[in-house]
Amino acid sequence: QVQLVESGGGLVQPGGSLRLSCAASGSILSIRTMAWYRQAPGKQRELVAVIANGGSINYADSVKGRFTISRDNAKNTVALQMNSLKPEDTAVYYCHVRSVVVGTRSDFLSWGQGTQVTVSS
């Protein structure tokens, strides 16, 4: 089993910044992709950013130029630096990891518990 622990959420004013972090632990052989999703009240969960093995990155159009995703392969962590935050960014943010577990040859999908980000004056 793979566990994901998220941190860094909170309340910020419009234009402010937050940095989210997610640490993966367990019997992990390798991590293929790490991603951040978010779900705002009354809306479906959406992909915010994803970083794949090798470093290729994709962002949602709504966050391009403002958010930056990064990973530390040695520590099995992923971070999301969020700048120029807008009220529309208010949501619960979830870490997601696709990994290969020790003793298997197939991918495992794991979700974090979520961390609240609120952008309000």
Side-chain angles (χ1 to χ4, degrees), residues 45-64:
R45 189 171 300 185
E46 65 174 346
L47 177 66
V48 177
V50 58
I51 182 166
N53 183 38
S56 62
I57 295 171
N58 287 293
Y59 295 99
D61 289 340
S62 59
V63 306
K64 287 181 179 177

Side-chain angles (χ1 to χ4, degrees), residues 47-118:
L47 177 66
V48 177
V50 58
I51 182 166
N53 183 38
S56 62
I57 295 171
N58 287 293
Y59 295 99
D61 289 340
S62 59
V63 306
K64 287 181 179 177
R66 300 188 298 119
F67 291 10
T68 302
I69 189 171
S70 61
R71 64 189 287 177
D72 186 330
N73 292 332
K75 298 180 179 180
N76 287 339
T77 60
V78 61
L80 185 68
Q81 179 66 45
M82 305 183 294
N83 299 325
S84 302
L85 283 163
K86 305 175 181 179
E88 306 92 271
D89 296 318
T90 296
V92 177
Y93 284 70
Y94 297 89
C95 179
H96 180 265
V97 170
R98 180 186 294 269
S99 64
V100 179
V101 177
V102 172
T104 75
R105 297 295 184 273
S106 59
D107 288 357
F108 243 73
L109 305 180
S110 303
W111 289 95
Q113 295 178 341
T115 183
Q116 178 70 49
V117 172
T118 302

